[in-house]
Amino acid sequence: MNSKKNPRYGTVGRPVEVDVNAFSLSWAQHSVVMHYDGDISIKPNFNGPGGKDINIGKEKGTEVIQRLQVNVRPDLFPKPGAFDGKKNLYAFRAFNFTSERFEVPWDKEQTQSTKGRRAKTVTVQIVLVRSVDISLLGQVLHGNEQGNPSSIGPGTVVASSLNMLQAFLQAAPKMANGNLHKGKSVYMQWRRGYQQSSDQKRIDDRIRPLRLVDGFFQSARMTTGQLIVNIDLSVGVILQGMVLEELCATFLGCKNLRDLNERCSSPVYFDKLRHFLRDVKVSIKIPGKTLKSQGRRAIRNLIRDVGSHSFDRNGIPTTIRDYFLSTHGVRIPSQSVGVVIGNHEIFPMSVCVVPEQLYKSKLQPEHVREVLSFVPKNPRERLQRIKAGWQNLEYENSEFLKGANITVHPDALTVHGRILPSPNILYSGASGTPATPTPLTLTLAKPGTWDVMRKRFWSPARPSFVLILNLTGHRDSPDMNKLMGQLFNTLKERGVDVPNTSTIINDSGADLSALIRREAERYKVGPIGLLVLAILPENAAELYANVKRVGDVLLGVPTQCIRWSQKLTQTVQNNRGIDQYLNNLALKINVRCGGVNHVPASTAMDYLAEHPTMVIGADVSHPSPGSTAPSFASLVSSRDSKCSIYSAQMKVQPFRKEIIESLDEMMTKAIDVFRSEVDDTKNPKLQLRRIFFFRDGVSEGEFETVREHELNALKKLLVRIYGKDRPRITFIVVGKRHHFRFFPKQGASADASGNCPSGFVVDRGIEHPVYSDFYLQSQPGLKGTSIPAHYTVIEDENLGGNGNHLQSLAYSLCHTYQRSTRSVKLPAPVYYADLVCQRARFHFAPRFLNQLEGLSDAATDDTPESIAQEFRSLHKNLKKTMHFM
């Protein structure tokens, strides 16, 4: 395909060459692979506790299929097939059957099925579905199916071929002893080409009982012209194998088991341990006893003084302490902590052993910091670690790849990119009015960065009164008063005049809503124009949430919190770094009170201003694993010609549903807000003409579902509102969870951090052969390796798919983020939609905070549906504001 004639490929910008963490894959043209299916119906021949059905996960299913082929019936499997963890088994050599049913032991320790009555087994049925000729991929790879998503959809030969490739790539490392895996990542105990550094050893010591290891993400992908393997580093958080009591003592920093029981008497430590152990798998090991099953089972909850709990044993009430002593000879000391496994089984910690496993729950903040220090410090180090571990993926020795004539080449690919020109940044000059500011134009010397010092905001806000609350639990201090004076001086320098403020009001914050109402009445001020400035203690997550809940939902006033820490006190006292801190506060305050800090100036921004245009960001957020919270959908929409002022909406979604269910309702309200700024009934020229819709959080497999249920629904809504002359739509999916990274070659193509500079774009070499897409690294580098955003154009009625225009537009919108003086990784409306979703927890009563933050209590009766009923909408006063900043 001639890329020069295709409008999807851009030409604007300075050309550069970079390495990418992708490796060429060759598959013999006439290779044929056998595809076995039969739902790989792995069905346990036993029930779980309470008679419930057993659901087999990917990890257990893969292990069962592997044992079937290698240990149980190797005579029927000349060469083991590769299982995708779901229902597909692929083999480069036909098995000695076309359809067969097997009985496989449930436990790893059994190598043969047992006729005994108590043996737990699973039934596996495997059926030959078809043979797949890989050469049929050629039509897609050569670009002949561009714009035809149905050619790669579920059930097609292309989809099956890619699934086969993925299974073959992962088969050898997944089956290697000592490796753990999750999704497309394999976490390995390093064997060759790598030696753990002293820094990494120190990290392991600090986070025990956890340990960090490098993992490798592998994904087979189609590009225009070739197949590639995208390989990236991922961090594996490993829970070390040990006795559960020892693990808990290590986590809580206890000296011995007595110290552990005493510490668990504290509700704070008990809750911390309960959240840490949620869904951790344990095996039950009772001294001198052989249990029916040695399998791993997940902890659901903890209980205090486990020995005192009683149950009905043959009609006689019996305590757990008496049962374990009489049945197993195990003594349970008083106040010992126990674990709940399943729905009703209870065991003392002393009989639980934790096998080595991936830790999948939400990490503690101190652990997150260690993970960030573990990742490579710069792009070159990341690429070196990928290359060092490449050999451990066993591509050269994999019998799966050899048998299917697949070769993965060891050298990273080089791709051609461009560095786009930066937009200018506009602030307000000394003359002019707030309504018509005289521009002060900044030409960026360093792409993606500027500063606000000695500049006036483009459109300064006009708050009428600031209520200052000291909720630290201590009386206001001279340093606190000094900070307030410095803050209001900084706001004035930026053009924000605050005519009146309260004195610092000392209060506990126990009844925050009543406090704000009372003080507002005392100062004779209403909610419009009021800003609440709340000074909080250093660690006050619940108090912070309450401030936001009262402001966002109950009273409808913007709030700004200041965390009064020892570090901030020292900063105020010595004046070091205080200007940056104050200006960052000023950025947030101005926008929350209705102002605009800056606007970018470029050809793309001029284009948006030519005709009435709305820019939209939309996102769906899902709860953490184990949480009983619902999902949430958010939508932000611009309402000014500079596409810098946004209104926001949020709705509760069905649990883990990705498609926005209430899109019609949210878009109708967005259009109402847009129309409230201009009367398009009297002047047709003011009617909305163009919509640019940036959708976050959608995987490639959901593109067509989004097209059908969101894009097409949006078109129908616009026809109902505007008729046939509806606004034109450009619908773009913005992805940030992909694994492509770019590595500048030595020389001028890198910035000071070693990353590609802001504005680096790639639309050749790794582009999708069906969808028009590009990768844009809009943010300047900081630490580590910068992550580019991935833009996929689902439909473009405005720009005709022109790569130059789309890329410049996306890059300019990355400069409109009002909380920063840097261009950001995503277009500002996408970031805003994410911020709105993060505020979901403020729309519920305090008792739901744990569930909403992923710290779900296993004992709760709450469900996503019952929690959703407690959602409270944003106060009407804030519906046209950027309160979420």
Side-chain angles (χ1 to χ4, degrees):
M1 184 171 202
N2 189 348
S3 64
K4 294 182 180 179
K5 296 181 180 179
N6 192 323
R8 71 178 282 187
Y9 297 105
T11 56
V12 173
R14 175 167 61 89
V16 292
E17 280 190 347
V18 299
D19 292 328
V20 62
N21 56 334
F23 301 80
S24 179
L25 182 148
S26 300
W27 197 350
Q29 283 287 321
H30 302 293
S31 292
V32 174
V33 175
M34 317 307 293
H35 177 194
Y36 293 85
D37 189 354
D39 294 331
I40 301 291
S41 47
I42 308 173
K43 296 181 179 178
N45 300 324
F46 58 94
N47 293 324
K52 291 188 176 181
D53 291 338
I54 301 289
N55 292 320
I56 294 182
K58 290 183 180 181
E59 188 175 341
K60 182 64 179 180
T62 300
E63 181 251 303
V64 167
I65 294 296
Q66 182 180 339
R67 280 194 288 113
L68 166 63
Q69 298 182 87
V70 177
N71 301 113
V72 178
R73 291 301 305 272
D75 56 309
L76 295 182
F77 298 88
K79 293 289 183 181
F83 185 51
D84 69 352
K86 300 174 185 176
K87 65 172 189 175
N88 301 295
L89 183 64
Y90 303 106
F92 53 86
R93 181 175 169 184
F95 300 147
N96 295 336
F97 62 89
T98 55
S99 177
E100 191 68 68
R101 185 187 296 265
F102 304 94
E103 193 170 292
V104 183
W106 173 256
D107 293 325
K108 289 182 181 180
E109 287 75 11
Q110 287 180 260
T111 57
Q112 298 295 328
S113 297
T114 305
K115 300 294 184 182
R117 205 174 34 163
R118 294 183 175 180
K120 291 184 176 180
T121 62
V122 293
T123 298
V124 179
Q125 177 149 345
I126 300 176
V127 178
L128 175 63
V129 177
R130 60 180 169 178
S131 58
V132 179
D133 184 354
I134 186 59
S135 63
L136 297 176
L137 274 176
Q139 287 289 320
V140 177
L141 296 177
H142 289 106
N144 297 334
E145 300 292 347
Q146 191 167 127
N148 180 23
S150 62
S151 65
I152 60 172
T156 62
V157 170
V158 173
S160 294
S161 298
L162 286 176
N163 205 14
M164 287 179 189
L165 272 176
Q166 194 65 44
F168 282 142
L169 286 171
Q170 293 185 318
K174 275 187 175 181
M175 294 172 69
N177 289 331
N179 286 352
L180 301 171
H181 57 88
K182 179 184 178 184
K184 293 182 179 179
S185 292
V186 178
Y187 304 94
M188 49 189 60
Q189 318 301 325
W190 287 89
R191 298 186 298 279
R192 301 196 312 261
Y194 180 82
Q195 185 173 358
Q196 189 181 39
S197 70
S198 57
D199 283 346
Q200 289 166 340
K201 290 177 181 176
R202 282 193 289 270
I203 290 172
D204 284 352
D205 290 339
R206 287 196 295 267
I207 67 170
R208 290 188 73 238
L210 299 174
R211 185 163 58 87
L212 302 181
V213 298
D214 272 332
F216 284 95
F217 169 91
Q218 308 169 81
S219 179
R221 298 187 62 84
M222 296 183 297
T223 67
T224 301
Q226 66 176 332
L227 289 164
I228 62 172
V229 183
N230 177 205
I231 302 175
D232 192 24
L233 282 184
S234 57
V235 178
V237 182
I238 306 294
L239 197 59
Q240 300 181 44
M242 63 180 74
V243 174
L244 181 57
E245 282 184 322
E246 179 187 350
L247 182 141
C248 295
T250 302
F251 174 69
L252 293 179
C254 302
K255 298 176 182 177
N256 49 48
L257 298 183
R258 181 179 177 181
D259 189 19
L260 171 64
N261 289 332
E262 289 178 357
R263 189 156 293 189
C264 285
S265 64
S266 160
V268 173
Y269 283 109
F270 185 80
D271 278 349
K272 183 177 181 180
L273 183 62
R274 179 166 55 84
H275 296 318
F276 177 73
L277 292 179
R278 171 79 179 180
D279 289 331
V280 168
K281 293 180 179 178
V282 296
S283 297
I284 306 302
K285 304 286 185 184
I286 298 177
K289 301 288 182 177
T290 302
L291 299 182
K292 290 185 290 185
S293 174
Q294 302 295 320
R296 304 177 177 189
R297 303 171 65 192
I299 295 174
R300 297 303 179 200
N301 203 2
L302 298 187
I303 56 174
R304 292 187 176 91
D305 195 10
V306 60
S308 65
H309 284 254
S310 61
F311 65 99
D312 193 306
R313 185 186 186 193
N314 299 325
I316 302 173
T318 305
T319 65
I320 292 177
R321 177 177 290 108
D322 291 341
Y323 170 78
F324 269 84
L325 182 61
S326 62
T327 305
H328 302 301
V330 174
R331 295 183 179 276
I332 302 177
S334 177
Q335 301 305 314
S336 294
V337 178
V339 299
V340 178
I341 294 177
N343 293 324
H344 66 283
E345 293 185 81
I346 299 174
F347 296 91
M349 277 190 179
S350 57
V351 301
C352 298
V353 175
V354 180
E356 185 178 67
Q357 60 194 274
L358 283 170
Y359 185 71
K360 300 175 183 177
S361 295
K362 187 175 181 179
L363 293 175
Q364 301 288 320
E366 61 269 23
H367 295 153
V368 173
R369 288 192 292 270
E370 297 296 351
V371 169
L372 294 176
S373 68
F374 179 81
V375 299
K377 303 296 186 294
N378 57 65
R380 277 293 139 189
E381 182 185 335
R382 188 183 195 92
L383 187 58
Q384 287 167 4
R385 276 165 67 171
I386 290 173
K387 289 178 177 178
W390 189 90
Q391 57 190 309
N392 290 313
L393 292 172
E394 300 290 346
Y395 290 150
E396 294 176 335
N397 301 321
S398 170
E399 60 179 300
F400 300 96
L401 298 183
K402 286 181 180 179
N405 295 314
I406 298 171
T407 303
V408 181
H409 301 278
D411 296 322
L413 294 176
T414 295
V415 294
H416 297 272
R418 291 167 287 115
I419 299 174
L420 301 177
S422 297
N424 293 329
I425 301 298
L426 302 184
Y427 284 97
S428 176
S431 59
T433 66
T436 56
T438 302
L440 171 65
T441 303
L442 299 183
T443 301
L444 305 187
K446 182 181 177 183
T449 63
W450 63 96
D451 70 72
V452 73
M453 300 291 288
R454 295 176 294 281
K455 301 175 185 69
R456 288 170 55 88
F457 290 141
W458 173 258
S459 176
R462 293 289 178 264
S464 58
F465 194 88
V466 177
L467 195 63
I468 309 171
L469 307 179
N470 171 24
L471 308 178
T472 62
H474 304 284
R475 292 194 61 79
D476 57 298
S477 64
D479 290 330
M480 201 176 285
N481 281 275
K482 177 182 177 182
L483 178 66
M484 291 300 99
Q486 291 174 319
L487 174 59
F488 293 123
N489 284 336
T490 299
L491 285 168
K492 187 173 183 179
E493 290 171 3
R494 305 287 82 78
V496 180
D497 288 319
V498 180
N500 295 293
T501 74
S502 71
T503 58
I504 297 178
I505 301 163
N506 301 304
D507 194 273
S508 66
D511 191 348
L512 198 57
S513 179
L515 170 66
I516 295 173
R517 284 192 175 99
R518 183 178 67 248
E519 294 300 327
E521 185 177 340
R522 182 162 74 93
Y523 283 99
K524 295 181 172 54
V525 294
I528 306 303
L530 173 65
L531 169 69
V532 174
L533 201 61
I535 305 171
L536 308 181
E538 186 166 7
N539 297 304
E542 290 187 20
L543 184 55
Y544 173 82
N546 197 33
V547 170
K548 295 302 178 182
R549 184 182 307 110
V550 169
D552 289 4
V553 178
L554 300 183
L555 301 182
V557 295
T559 56
Q560 176 63 55
C561 293
I562 294 176
R563 203 176 302 276
W564 191 252
S565 64
Q566 183 63 35
K567 181 178 179 181
L568 178 57
T569 304
Q570 292 172 354
T571 301
V572 173
Q573 290 172 350
N574 60 32
N575 285 324
R576 291 178 184 172
I578 192 65
D579 286 341
Q580 181 178 352
Y581 178 81
L582 294 170
N583 277 294
N584 285 339
L585 278 179
L587 292 173
K588 295 180 181 181
I589 289 171
N590 186 53
V591 178
R592 286 174 179 170
C593 293
V596 177
N597 296 335
H598 68 271
V599 294
S602 66
T603 303
M605 298 305 294
D606 292 342
Y607 164 79
L608 291 178
E610 281 177 2
H611 301 287
T613 301
M614 181 189 292
V615 179
I616 291 171
D619 190 19
V620 173
S621 67
H622 301 295
S624 302
S627 172
T628 56
S631 298
F632 299 94
S634 64
L635 184 143
V636 301
S637 53
S638 66
R639 56 185 182 87
D640 70 316
S641 62
K642 299 292 185 182
C643 298
S644 294
I645 303 175
Y646 289 78
S647 59
Q649 301 173 61
M650 176 168 49
K651 294 291 181 181
V652 178
Q653 282 267 114
F655 184 68
R656 296 206 168 278
K657 184 173 183 179
E658 183 55 49
I659 298 303
I660 300 176
E661 196 172 66
S662 52
L663 184 61
D664 261 30
E665 180 185 351
M666 290 198 287
M667 274 302 304
T668 300
K669 289 182 179 178
I671 291 170
D672 288 344
V673 170
F674 189 89
R675 281 178 149 177
S676 71
E677 301 293 314
V678 292
D679 188 353
D680 60 5
T681 58
K682 296 181 179 179
N683 187 351
K685 290 184 179 180
L686 299 179
Q687 179 180 308
L688 180 62
R689 305 305 306 161
R690 301 180 297 211
I691 292 176
F692 287 86
F693 196 112
F694 291 90
R695 177 66 158 90
D696 188 18
V698 178
S699 66
E700 185 175 323
E702 296 168 316
F703 286 173
E704 291 312 301
T705 306
V706 165
R707 183 197 299 273
E708 179 181 353
H709 294 284
E710 292 185 7
L711 174 57
N712 291 343
L714 178 56
K715 289 179 179 179
K716 291 176 183 177
L717 172 68
L718 294 175
V719 169
R720 289 201 301 271
I721 295 175
Y722 293 99
K724 292 183 179 180
D725 190 27
R726 64 166 175 81
R728 304 299 95 183
I729 304 170
T730 296
F731 196 104
I732 299 174
V733 172
V734 185
K736 53 184 183 287
R737 294 186 179 88
H738 64 88
H739 285 266
F740 282 115
R741 303 291 184 269
F742 300 115
F743 307 91
K745 293 180 179 290
Q746 301 301 324
S749 61
D751 65 13
S753 71
N755 284 283
C756 297
S758 170
F760 176 74
V761 65
V762 168
D763 58 12
R764 293 171 174 83
I766 56 172
E767 78 275 29
H768 201 283
V770 174
Y771 293 100
S772 176
D773 67 339
F774 60 90
Y775 295 83
L776 173 61
Q777 195 163 296
S778 49
Q779 75 278 28
L782 289 170
K783 294 181 179 179
T785 306
S786 296
I787 303 174
H790 181 208
Y791 297 78
T792 301
V793 183
I794 304 300
E795 188 158 337
D796 182 14
E797 297 177 335
N798 288 302
L799 295 170
N802 184 288
N804 281 327
H805 297 331
L806 288 166
Q807 292 162 19
S808 297
L809 177 65
Y811 188 41
S812 290
L813 288 172
C814 292
H815 290 73
T816 63
Y817 187 63
Q818 295 294 302
R819 253 169 49 168
S820 175
T821 54
R822 301 168 66 89
S823 58
V824 290
K825 181 168 59 178
L826 305 167
V830 179
Y831 254 123
Y832 295 159
D834 184 59
L835 289 176
V836 173
C837 278
Q838 289 178 29
R839 296 177 82 88
R841 65 189 189 277
F842 307 146
H843 291 253
F844 293 86
R847 78 176 187 87
F848 295 106
L849 192 60
N850 273 350
Q851 290 97 314
L852 293 163
E853 292 190 342
L855 301 175
S856 182
D857 187 340
T860 184
D861 293 327
D862 294 321
T863 65
E865 293 74 23
S866 67
I867 294 177
Q869 294 298 316
E870 302 295 327
F871 179 82
R872 297 293 176 263
S873 297
L874 182 70
H875 195 282
K876 63 181 181 180
N877 291 352
L878 301 180
K879 289 190 182 295
K880 291 179 66 173
T881 71
M882 295 178 70
H883 67 284
F884 50 86
M885 296 297 286

